[in-house]
Amino acid sequence: MSFLHDLGRSTLQKVSSVGASSIMLFGALFAFPKWKNIKLTIEQMYVVGVQSLLIIMVSGLFIGMVMALQGYTILVNYGAEGSLGPMVALSILRELGPVVTALLFAGRAGSALTAEIGLMKATEQLSSLEMMAVDPLRRVISPRFWAGVISMPMLALIFSAVGILGGHVVGVDWLGVDSGSYWSIMQSTVEWNKDVVNGVIKSIVFALVVVWIALYKGYSCIPTSEGISKATTQTVVFSSLSILGLDFVLTALMFGIS
Amino acid sequence: MISKRTELWVGIFVALAIGAALLLALRVANQGMAGGGETYKLTARFDNIGGLKPRSSVKVGGVVVGRVSRIYLNEQDLVPMVELEISSEYEQTFPDTSSLSILTSGLLGEQFIGLQPGFIFPEDLEMIEEDGVCQSAPYENCPYLTEGEEIFDTKSALVLEDLIGQFLFNQGSD
Amino acid sequence: MVCIVSKKMSEHIVSVKNMTFSRAERVIYDGISLEVKTGKITAIMGPSGIGKTTLLKLIGGQLTPDKGSVIFQGEDVHGVSRNRLYELRRKMSMLFQSGALFTNMSVFDNVAFPLREHTKLDEDIIRTVVMLKLEAVGLRGAAHLQPSELSGGMARRAALARAIALDPDLIMYDEPFAGQDPISMGVLVELIKSLSKALNVTSIVVTHDVSEVLTIADYVYILANKKIIGEGTPEQIKDSESELVQQFLNGNADGPVPFHFPADNISDSLIGAKA
């Protein structure tokens, strides 16, 4: 009996937290065109985007280099090392770019957002905004939300570009693949609409999910040290799982069924 | 309220992202065929398409002129039909006596369609000049391949098993 | 100074009428009523953990009561539209226990925040106003500091400067004296008193520091056991014959307000645990 009771209660809690987070999301979405929020959004783009730039570029470089190295050792067996370019480019543009960027973003910026909002709640800053007749959804949540959603696809593009250049460094400069064929075969295989645009769409979807989870977890956390640390952990875990799960669904929709 | 440094950095960030997008657009991706450019459709009937896939390229002497847009089965004759999208750049370029064959790039490479341009009779050229058959919509008598036309002269893909079978058969009959 | 106010919002700036509020099945207030006179300092006292902060949040419209209503300047705080509620909130301000300064901006920007949000004043005028407010709390020299560089008492004074930035009609102080050394406490008592006189604002002070608040309050409510157990001027309260009030004023450990959180009989629970 008590098992059923618990099950019912936890289901109700889950459902109502989905509801609460959706209400928050809509509050944030529709607060965008209002007044000086643009400035606040730019400020947050600095925190969320610019400060993630280094980690994204370094990771992109190394992942591109590793892809080229691994790809070369396999392709050279078939004398197909000319296909190194498309292999590196396609795997980065379609998968690694959006996914790794989103995972790093969740760890770097998502957790920071949760902790920041959680602390603002714990120190009554959110409450005090409300008492000053300033809507915290509009003033605090919305700029962070939009900054995240704008920054992530940009970071993913930068990641992909740096990764492909990294592949060039290893493949062409170190392993001696012909530079012309690296670029030209890549260019004949990679399609703007299909590969690049789909990658960007993926990373926009990931951005929505990660930022949503991060902000909601911070906004709804129990305002104590344990509560904030738990919320931060949950942000990273939930975001990572959602990214990987959604990646499968999106890949199936975009590339799987032709 | 916003410091100049923040603005500068966000500016750099945006510039980097645009740079990355440009690099991807110009050096990495080909927008030519897939970039929403104008195309016209042709259909072709094959006996066997082998490993041809939608989006495989259509080449004339190695130059990509279009892509396979759809592959389906003709329900009456039960033979594969291939729909091609050819860039409008090459509209009224290929004579309707052109032939198609399914070729393979390299030993293990992917399959593509090779278009072998045909020829045009001199009297047809005169007809184009005089009657203007290639100038407006129903191109019935136009001797060039136009929107929706079907190509009958096709060569199927080479299937390894058939080749080996033929080879053995020939050996046996000798 | 003579203040002419319309009859409607005259005497009482805030009236709480027969309000019941419960949180997660625990009743916090059971049908309480109280009134706050315009221009006076009203103290609300009571032991810790009875939800005094909750009362302020109810008045500010951040929480909604289960029954009853809160009237602020003649309008039902929980009955008006969201936009109207935000307009009402511009006339009240609240000093949080922690100060709740925005940690990502300097003291100056914190005090300027409500002005920048709600007015279209020039930056020059804002600067003047902010400096005047900071001067009033004695922190003009600390304008450029970050909140993390302030001591607890200074942070609370900076927050007070922010709370009075828009010249509100009502200031609610949430435990302004908690955790302060005697000097800061004295400073805060003086500030509350002088602000209320100088700006003619109404103050609600929620606290459990009996001696400080009795020196400045015009009227006192004592809350315990979900109800108001005593009210009156400080003199009336001191002379109250209610056991509850006397227990609270004198700080007796046990009395009508029980020392123990409600629990079942200790011998039962210990024996029960063993069995």
Short mmCIF file of all heavy atoms in Angstrom, two decimals, chain C residues 149-170:
data_model
loop_
_atom_site.label_atom_id
_atom_site.label_comp_id
_atom_site.label_asym_id
_atom_site.label_seq_id
_atom_site.Cartn_x
_atom_site.Cartn_y
_atom_site.Cartn_z
N GLU C 149 32.75 42.41 -0.29
CA GLU C 149 33.75 43.09 0.53
C GLU C 149 33.15 43.77 1.76
O GLU C 149 33.87 44.40 2.52
CB GLU C 149 34.48 44.16 -0.31
CG GLU C 149 35.26 43.58 -1.48
CD GLU C 149 35.73 44.64 -2.45
OE1 GLU C 149 34.91 45.20 -3.19
OE2 GLU C 149 36.94 44.92 -2.46
N LEU C 150 31.82 43.66 1.90
CA LEU C 150 31.16 44.34 3.01
C LEU C 150 30.99 43.39 4.20
O LEU C 150 30.84 42.19 4.03
CB LEU C 150 29.77 44.82 2.58
CG LEU C 150 29.69 45.82 1.44
CD1 LEU C 150 28.24 46.15 1.16
CD2 LEU C 150 30.48 47.07 1.75
N SER C 151 30.99 43.95 5.39
CA SER C 151 30.64 43.15 6.56
C SER C 151 29.13 42.97 6.59
O SER C 151 28.40 43.62 5.86
CB SER C 151 31.10 43.87 7.83
OG SER C 151 30.25 44.98 8.05
N GLY C 152 28.67 42.06 7.46
CA GLY C 152 27.24 41.77 7.52
C GLY C 152 26.41 43.01 7.78
O GLY C 152 25.40 43.25 7.11
N GLY C 153 26.86 43.83 8.74
CA GLY C 153 26.09 45.02 9.08
C GLY C 153 26.08 46.03 7.95
O GLY C 153 25.05 46.63 7.65
N MET C 154 27.23 46.17 7.28
CA MET C 154 27.30 47.12 6.17
C MET C 154 26.42 46.64 5.01
O MET C 154 25.75 47.45 4.36
CB MET C 154 28.75 47.27 5.69
CG MET C 154 29.58 48.20 6.56
SD MET C 154 31.33 47.87 6.32
CE MET C 154 31.64 48.75 4.80
N ALA C 155 26.43 45.32 4.77
CA ALA C 155 25.61 44.78 3.68
C ALA C 155 24.14 45.09 3.94
O ALA C 155 23.40 45.47 3.04
CB ALA C 155 25.81 43.28 3.56
N ARG C 156 23.74 44.97 5.21
CA ARG C 156 22.34 45.23 5.52
C ARG C 156 22.01 46.71 5.34
O ARG C 156 20.93 47.07 4.89
CB ARG C 156 22.04 44.78 6.95
CG ARG C 156 20.67 44.19 7.06
CD ARG C 156 20.49 43.40 8.30
NE ARG C 156 21.11 42.09 8.22
CZ ARG C 156 21.04 41.19 9.20
NH1 ARG C 156 20.39 41.49 10.32
NH2 ARG C 156 21.60 40.03 9.10
N ARG C 157 22.97 47.57 5.67
CA ARG C 157 22.73 49.00 5.47
C ARG C 157 22.68 49.35 3.99
O ARG C 157 21.86 50.16 3.55
CB ARG C 157 23.81 49.82 6.17
CG ARG C 157 23.47 50.10 7.63
CD ARG C 157 24.69 50.18 8.49
NE ARG C 157 25.55 51.31 8.18
CZ ARG C 157 26.80 51.44 8.62
NH1 ARG C 157 27.31 50.49 9.39
NH2 ARG C 157 27.51 52.49 8.31
N ALA C 158 23.56 48.70 3.21
CA ALA C 158 23.52 48.95 1.76
C ALA C 158 22.18 48.49 1.20
O ALA C 158 21.57 49.17 0.37
CB ALA C 158 24.66 48.19 1.08
N ALA C 159 21.71 47.34 1.70
CA ALA C 159 20.41 46.84 1.24
C ALA C 159 19.31 47.80 1.64
O ALA C 159 18.34 48.00 0.90
CB ALA C 159 20.15 45.46 1.81
N LEU C 160 19.48 48.43 2.80
CA LEU C 160 18.48 49.40 3.24
C LEU C 160 18.47 50.60 2.31
O LEU C 160 17.41 51.11 1.93
CB LEU C 160 18.78 49.82 4.69
CG LEU C 160 17.81 50.78 5.34
CD1 LEU C 160 16.40 50.24 5.27
CD2 LEU C 160 18.19 51.02 6.80
N ALA C 161 19.66 51.03 1.91
CA ALA C 161 19.74 52.14 0.95
C ALA C 161 19.01 51.77 -0.33
O ALA C 161 18.31 52.59 -0.93
CB ALA C 161 21.20 52.48 0.65
N ARG C 162 19.17 50.52 -0.77
CA ARG C 162 18.49 50.08 -1.99
C ARG C 162 16.98 50.06 -1.76
O ARG C 162 16.20 50.42 -2.64
CB ARG C 162 18.99 48.69 -2.38
CG ARG C 162 18.44 48.22 -3.70
CD ARG C 162 18.98 46.88 -4.07
NE ARG C 162 18.53 45.83 -3.16
CZ ARG C 162 18.87 44.55 -3.27
NH1 ARG C 162 19.70 44.17 -4.22
NH2 ARG C 162 18.43 43.66 -2.42
N ALA C 163 16.58 49.63 -0.53
CA ALA C 163 15.15 49.51 -0.26
C ALA C 163 14.47 50.87 -0.27
O ALA C 163 13.29 50.98 -0.60
CB ALA C 163 14.93 48.81 1.08
N ILE C 164 15.20 51.94 0.11
CA ILE C 164 14.57 53.26 0.14
C ILE C 164 14.84 54.05 -1.13
O ILE C 164 14.43 55.21 -1.24
CB ILE C 164 15.03 54.09 1.37
CG1 ILE C 164 16.55 54.25 1.35
CG2 ILE C 164 14.54 53.47 2.65
CD1 ILE C 164 17.07 55.20 2.42
N ALA C 165 15.48 53.43 -2.11
CA ALA C 165 15.86 54.17 -3.32
C ALA C 165 14.66 54.77 -4.02
O ALA C 165 14.72 55.88 -4.54
CB ALA C 165 16.62 53.25 -4.27
N LEU C 166 13.55 54.06 -4.05
CA LEU C 166 12.38 54.55 -4.78
C LEU C 166 11.41 55.28 -3.87
O LEU C 166 10.27 55.51 -4.25
CB LEU C 166 11.66 53.38 -5.46
CG LEU C 166 12.26 52.87 -6.77
CD1 LEU C 166 11.49 51.67 -7.26
CD2 LEU C 166 12.25 53.96 -7.83
N ASP C 167 11.85 55.64 -2.65
CA ASP C 167 10.98 56.29 -1.66
C ASP C 167 9.66 55.55 -1.48
O ASP C 167 8.59 56.06 -1.84
CB ASP C 167 10.70 57.75 -2.06
CG ASP C 167 11.98 58.57 -2.00
OD1 ASP C 167 12.80 58.30 -1.11
OD2 ASP C 167 12.15 59.45 -2.86
N PRO C 168 9.71 54.34 -0.97
CA PRO C 168 8.48 53.55 -0.84
C PRO C 168 7.60 54.08 0.28
O PRO C 168 8.04 54.88 1.12
CB PRO C 168 9.00 52.16 -0.50
CG PRO C 168 10.28 52.42 0.22
CD PRO C 168 10.87 53.65 -0.41
N ASP C 169 6.34 53.64 0.29
CA ASP C 169 5.43 54.01 1.37
C ASP C 169 5.59 53.07 2.56
O ASP C 169 5.25 53.41 3.67
CB ASP C 169 3.97 53.92 0.88
CG ASP C 169 3.73 54.90 -0.25
OD1 ASP C 169 4.50 55.87 -0.34
OD2 ASP C 169 2.79 54.69 -1.03
N LEU C 170 6.06 51.87 2.25
CA LEU C 170 6.14 50.84 3.28
C LEU C 170 7.48 50.12 3.18
O LEU C 170 7.88 49.73 2.08
CB LEU C 170 4.99 49.84 3.10
CG LEU C 170 5.03 48.57 3.94
CD1 LEU C 170 4.73 48.88 5.39
CD2 LEU C 170 4.04 47.55 3.41
#
